[in-house]
Amino acid sequence: MSDFVIPAWFEIGSLVVLSLILIADLLLVVRRPHVPSPRESALWVGFYVALALVFAGLMFAFVGPQAGGEFVAGWLTEYSLSIDNLFVFVIIMAQFAVPKKMQQEVLMIGIILALLFRGVFILLGAALIENFSWIFYIFGLFLLITAGQQAFSGREDDEERENALIRFLRRRIAITDEYHGMKMRTVVDGKKVFTPLLIVLIAIGTTDLIFALDSIPAIFGITQSPFIVFTANVFALMGLRQLYFLLGHLVDKLEYLKYGIAFILAFIGVKLIFHAMHENELPFINGGEHIEWVPEIDTVTSLLVIVATMAVAVIASLIKLRLEHRYLPTALTKPGDDDDDDEATDAAPAPAAVPTSTTSGPAGDDRS
């Protein structure tokens, strides 16, 4: 367990401030739906990263270096998993040709769903850890399996899962081929039908649920503080919408990113199993006694491994892109796009058949 106590005033104050920031972000999207320029997206991403680092500094100052280190390691882990989540968002937006001006609102809904799902799993995870120390064995094995799937399954598997969902829904409910703003239901020829937005939100919600199942055991391998787990997830998801518009065209080209994430998951899985062995109470393992010879992996080591792994994965991917002359240095969405498409995006057709390959940019690049 953690060797620090977080003051109640710090927890309450942090949650209030984070809630206000998220509400302000939501209101901004609702009041001014648009396609952010690369500069605007970069500024927002930088703001949220700076905010996370300021919060880490406050954790160091008011709670202690262990708490601060656990937050930074947890935030970086969740941020790397969120970037992988971002790739699936790119696939979903491209498959359904979501109009560019709707993408901000759709992404915001996806982020809210992700926070809700992760909040539920954090409460469940904390309760399990409190009552059953052996749950770390299960969490560790789960992460090792997830790491293997991440490393050895192609990203086309994500597309295949989405295709199966589309076929299932289209067979059972009436869905129009056109978007009608953010409406999920509309009337066509006097008959009420669903719009493609319903499938988009179901696909994003399903993705959020799957990634919550992966991410929560991963961060509990770094810290057992529910407050740190939750705030690390919030900071990892804040700015994800802007990161989509900034790097969406590049995420699928970072070829070694998935191997870096897989290594991090495997590393944390091993750390969890080592921790479970130290706390062992299962009678059929070492006679129910603690296994003292197994090394404990501390927070500093975890942080260094996570940072080094992501740095190597990203740098190696960019080097390969440069060698193959495949790097696209400019974002595919222009600052003026939101002015040009004011009316055109109100009713954009969705594709009748889902493509089997992804585009090279955010779904806003699909011409409908």
Side-chain angles (χ1 to χ4, degrees):
M1 296 297 292
S2 300
D3 299 326
F4 54 82
V5 176
I6 302 175
W9 65 265
F10 186 86
E11 291 189 353
I12 295 171
S14 299
L15 294 176
V16 169
V17 172
L18 289 176
S19 298
L20 291 175
I21 292 173
L22 288 172
I23 291 171
D25 199 11
L26 177 62
L27 291 176
L28 184 65
V29 172
V30 172
R31 290 173 62 90
R32 187 172 173 261
H34 68 291
V35 180
S37 67
R39 181 177 181 274
E40 178 186 347
S41 298
L43 288 174
W44 276 107
V45 171
F47 168 74
Y48 284 123
V49 169
L51 201 62
L53 295 176
V54 168
F55 183 80
L58 294 175
M59 289 284 289
F60 273 97
F62 293 108
V63 186
Q66 182 184 352
E70 288 184 3
F71 170 78
V72 173
W75 169 61
L76 289 174
T77 299
E78 294 301 308
Y79 205 82
S80 63
L81 290 171
S82 294
I83 292 175
D84 205 42
N85 197 346
L86 189 68
F87 174 82
V88 183
F89 285 171
V90 171
I91 293 176
I92 292 171
M93 296 293 188
Q95 286 181 333
F96 298 107
V98 179
K100 287 182 287 185
K101 285 187 66 175
M102 287 175 55
Q103 289 177 19
Q104 283 225 63
E105 295 168 282
V106 171
L107 287 168
M108 198 67 198
I109 293 173
I111 290 169
I112 292 171
L113 289 175
L115 284 172
L116 291 175
F117 286 136
R118 295 186 188 200
V120 170
F121 283 118
I122 288 167
L123 292 175
L124 290 175
L128 288 171
I129 289 170
E130 183 70 24
N131 295 282
F132 308 103
S133 61
W134 51 263
I135 199 68
F136 284 110
Y137 283 116
I138 296 176
F139 281 178
L141 289 173
F142 177 76
L143 289 180
L144 289 175
I145 293 171
T146 303
Q149 292 174 337
Q150 174 80 13
F152 300 111
S153 65
R155 282 182 160 162
E156 59 273 7
D157 295 345
D158 294 319
E159 296 179 68
E160 183 54 38
R161 283 191 289 270
E162 299 299 339
N163 291 344
L165 174 66
I166 297 163
R167 291 192 296 268
F168 175 83
L169 291 173
R170 285 196 179 276
R171 283 198 299 265
R172 285 162 176 78
I173 58 177
I175 302 176
T176 181
D177 289 332
E178 294 182 348
Y179 288 93
H180 292 260
M182 289 298 292
K183 293 181 180 178
M184 283 194 291
R185 295 198 74 182
T186 188
V187 177
V188 176
D189 298 329
K191 180 182 177 182
K192 286 187 176 181
V193 294
F194 289 98
T195 69
L197 181 63
L198 174 67
I199 301 182
V200 172
L201 294 180
I202 290 175
I204 284 180
T206 304
T207 298
D208 286 334
L209 180 61
I210 293 170
F211 275 91
L213 285 170
D214 293 342
S215 66
I216 298 308
I219 193 171
F220 268 119
I222 294 171
T223 178
Q224 280 92 67
S225 167
F227 174 75
I228 293 179
V229 171
F230 182 73
T231 52
N233 272 275
V234 171
F235 278 107
L237 291 169
M238 287 166 61
L240 189 62
R241 174 170 55 85
Q242 291 87 354
L243 192 64
Y244 170 87
F245 290 100
L246 181 65
L247 295 181
H249 69 291
L250 182 61
V251 170
D252 63 327
K253 296 179 178 63
L254 297 178
E255 187 171 334
Y256 299 122
L257 181 63
K258 71 172 187 175
Y259 298 111
I261 294 172
F263 182 82
I264 291 172
L265 291 175
F267 170 78
I268 298 175
V270 170
K271 179 182 178 180
L272 279 171
I273 292 174
F274 283 177
H275 179 75
M277 293 170 73
H278 266 278
E279 304 292 326
N280 179 62
E281 295 176 352
L282 296 178
F284 53 86
I285 298 178
N286 198 40
E289 299 294 327
H290 301 337
I291 304 174
E292 301 296 342
W293 57 265
V294 176
E296 277 275 21
I297 302 174
D298 58 29
T299 302
V300 174
T301 303
S302 300
L303 181 58
L304 292 175
V305 168
I306 292 166
V307 171
T309 301
M310 291 307 298
V312 169
V314 171
I315 293 171
S317 299
L318 293 177
I319 290 174
K320 184 172 183 180
L321 286 176
R322 178 175 287 274
L323 292 175
E324 296 179 354
H325 305 289
R326 290 194 296 121
Y327 176 57
L328 301 179
T330 56
L332 299 179
T333 54
K334 303 294 190 298
D337 284 348
D338 52 322
D339 299 326
D340 298 335
D341 299 332
D342 285 344
E343 302 298 331
T345 56
D346 289 337
V354 177
T356 57
S357 61
T358 61
T359 62
S360 61
D365 300 322
D366 287 77
R367 304 297 186 226
S368 47

